Each structure stands twice: as structure tokens, then as C-alpha cells.
């Protein structure tokens, strides 16, 4: 899961502190350098810790980390390697929580099913509100939270291997992850899908579509190109097909 906001002091670290208290400090590993998440000798952590917390996730430059973490986040068994010990296949127990003050701390594509994304409030509590909350936590708060988690059987928790819901925060993060070219392409395909909903098929050459995304003019010469068609059928729903011509 990822929780982020540009404002500091909005409770992101407090959430991690509460979860650490609930599962036990010995079951938690804090990784302060997000570049080390996919490191060579980090895999053993994922097989022995219940919670891996990344307090300042900053991997918005490319999709590399998200791609590398796919197996670590979702596979039941991973190859674990420790210094001086041969790699072995072990069962993964870890859950991931990351927080960040960046607008786009991680690049995600539309096909991602692993990350649950929440946007923390941008308004900080005043001193009175914060003191009341922390006094509650230090008193009966942790016990009340634990009891609720144990008794909330009807709440739609995301279970193992289930797809994380697309929250508004995740949808916004996916949009922010797209380059300007990707955004233009997505807009065209959305328009083509809207037309297909009314039974109108639209075909456009892939080279012209790419030229539009780049902001350049389509080529005038007719070479062997790919025609992209968005269509709708009762059997298969919407489909995007490519036909060389």
C-alpha cells in the first residue's frame, strides 16, 4: 500500500507507528533507502518480516522499481539470498507500506493490480486535535483498533492475490505516471471507444496515431502501416485490433 500527500505532518508516519505496535517491532523492517528494496541481499527480509515500511518512497523517475517489485509483492515464494549463503526459495510473509510527500512517488500503469493507493489529508491537525488523538492511542486506542480489525469480518479487506481497488488516489497516480504522449494516446483511444459504443468503428494508422502523440504531422507517403481499429461485439465486448495494410 502507498499513502502520500505533499503536506508533511498529516499522519503518514503515525499510521506506520500504529501498525508497528500492532504487529510487533520485531516483525517490522524499515527501509529508508527505496533504491535498496530490490537489492541483492534484501530478499531474506521479505521472508521473515510481516511489515516492510518505506518512509520516503521516491521512485517517480521510471517504472523500474514497480516492475522489479512485482514478484516480491505478489508471489508466495521468492528466491532469498543472504551474504555468504546460497540463494534458496522461501515463503514470502511481508506486506509493504510506503509513504511519501511527493505527488508522484511511484510510477504505475493502468494494468497494476498490486498497489493500494491512498491520499492523506493535506490539512494538518492543530495541536489540540493531535494531542487528543495521541492520548487516545496511548490509552485504549490500540486495543480498540485491534479489536475492530479482528471483528470486522464484513469489511471488504483486500485478500491475498486479490486485485487492489482502484481508488481515486490510484487513478490520479496512474494519470500522473503517463507521459504527455501516453496521455494523448489514451485520449484518442477513449474517443474511439466512445464511438464504438454507438456502433461506429474508427480506424487510424498506427503511424499517424504515434505522430499525433508526438505532436508532429503524419507522414504523407503510403508505406506498409498498421491500421488500429476499436470495435464492439456482443461476444467479446470492446476490442482493439491491428491490421497491416
Amino acid at each position: 500500500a502507498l499513502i502520500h500527500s505533499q503536506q508533511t505532518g498529516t499522519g503518514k508516519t503515525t499510521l506506520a507507528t500504529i501498525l508497528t505496535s500492532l504487529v510487533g517491532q520485531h516483525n517490522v523492517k524499515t527501509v529508508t533507502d527505496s533504491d535498496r528494496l530490490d537489492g541483492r541481499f534484501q530478499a531474506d527480509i521479505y521472508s521473515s518480516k510481516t511489515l516492510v515500511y518505506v518512509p520516503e518512497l521516491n521512485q517517480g523517475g521510471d517504472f523500474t522499481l514497480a516492475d522489479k517489485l512485482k514478484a516480491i509483492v505478489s508471489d508466495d515464494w521468492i528466491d532469498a539470498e543472504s551474504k555468504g549463503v546460497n540463494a534458496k526459495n522461501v515463503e514470502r510473509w511481508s506486506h509493504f507500506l510506503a509513504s511519501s510527500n511527493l505527488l508522484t512517488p511511484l510510477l504505475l500503469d493502468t494494468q497494476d493490480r498490486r498497489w493500494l493507493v491512498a491520499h492523506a489529508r493535506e490539512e494538518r491537525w492543530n495541536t489540540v486535535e493531535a494531542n487528543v488523538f495521541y492520548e487516545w492511542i496511548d490509552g485504549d486506542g490500540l486495543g480498540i483498533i485491534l479489536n475492530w480489525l479482528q471483528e470486522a469480518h464484513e469489511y471488504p479487506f483486500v485478500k491475498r492475490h486479490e486485485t487492489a481497488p482502484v481508488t481515486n488516489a490510484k487513478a490520479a497516480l496512474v494519470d500522473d505516471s503517463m507521459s504527455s504522449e501516453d496521455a494523448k494516446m489514451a485520449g484518442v483511444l477513449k474517443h474511439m471507444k466512445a464511438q464504438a459504443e454507438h456502433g461506429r468503428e474508427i480506424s487510424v494508422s498506427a503511424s499517424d496515431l504515434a505522430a499525433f502523440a508526438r505532436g508532429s504531422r503524419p507522414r504523407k507517403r503510403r508505406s506498409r502501416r498498421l491500421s488500429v481499429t476499436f470495435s464492439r461485439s456482443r461476444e467479446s465486448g470492446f476490442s482493439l485490433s491491428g491490421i497491416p495494410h
Side-chain angles (χ1 to χ4, degrees):
L2 167 65
I3 179 169
H4 69 121
S5 69
Q6 292 183 287
Q7 177 64 266
T8 60
T10 56
K12 300 184 290 293
T13 302
T14 298
L15 173 61
T17 301
I18 292 173
L19 292 176
T20 298
S21 298
L22 292 176
V23 302
Q25 180 66 55
H26 58 287
N27 291 318
V28 179
K29 173 65 177 179
T30 298
V31 181
T32 55
D33 184 358
S34 56
D35 289 326
R36 296 182 58 200
L37 279 173
D38 63 327
R40 181 179 176 186
F41 300 116
Q42 297 294 321
D44 57 333
I45 295 173
Y46 308 143
S47 64
S48 61
K49 301 297 182 181
T50 303
L51 176 66
V52 176
Y53 174 52
V54 187
E56 290 297 336
L57 184 65
N58 180 13
Q59 291 291 327
D62 55 43
F63 289 90
T64 302
L65 180 65
D67 289 339
K68 288 184 177 180
L69 283 179
K70 284 181 179 178
I72 297 175
V73 171
S74 59
D75 288 358
D76 290 333
W77 293 81
I78 59 174
D79 290 330
E81 183 178 358
S82 301
K83 291 183 179 180
V85 180
N86 293 332
K88 58 182 179 179
N89 199 244
V90 298
E91 191 171 7
R92 178 188 64 83
W93 291 99
S94 290
H95 300 270
F96 290 78
L97 173 66
S99 64
S100 179
N101 294 325
L102 299 177
L103 185 63
T104 313
L106 180 71
L107 296 188
L108 297 178
D109 59 36
T110 56
Q111 303 302 313
D112 178 80
R113 58 184 179 82
R114 296 167 176 83
W115 287 92
L116 173 64
V117 182
H119 188 271
R121 53 182 288 169
E122 293 290 352
E123 303 82 19
R124 300 179 65 173
W125 276 350
N126 59 44
T127 303
V128 174
E129 292 173 319
N131 288 339
V132 169
F133 177 76
Y134 288 119
E135 287 177 4
W136 178 74
I137 287 293
D138 292 337
D140 298 329
L142 283 178
I144 292 173
I145 294 173
L146 178 60
N147 181 70
W148 181 86
L149 290 171
Q150 293 173 333
E151 298 296 330
H153 303 298
E154 302 301 321
Y155 196 79
F157 292 110
V158 180
K159 298 180 176 62
R160 200 168 188 174
H161 299 306
E162 288 187 345
T163 299
V166 181
T167 60
N168 290 337
K170 184 171 186 175
L173 183 58
V174 169
D175 287 344
D176 290 338
S177 298
M178 289 195 298
S179 65
S180 58
E181 291 83 2
D182 292 335
K184 287 183 179 180
M185 194 77 74
V188 171
L189 295 178
K190 183 178 181 180
H191 172 71
M192 293 173 69
K193 180 177 180 180
Q195 295 299 311
E197 288 178 338
H198 294 88
R200 294 189 290 271
E201 264 189 20
I202 296 180
S203 295
V204 61
S205 70
S207 59
D208 288 350
L209 194 60
F212 169 76
R214 292 193 304 268
S216 58
R217 292 189 176 186
R219 298 177 180 177
K220 292 184 178 180
R221 63 184 180 86
R222 291 286 178 178
S223 58
R224 182 176 176 81
R225 299 186 298 175
L226 186 70
S227 175
V228 181
T229 302
F230 216 132
S231 58
R232 182 182 187 183
S233 67
R234 292 183 178 179
E235 294 78 16
S236 60
F238 293 103
S239 63
L240 184 66
S241 57
I243 306 173
H245 66 88

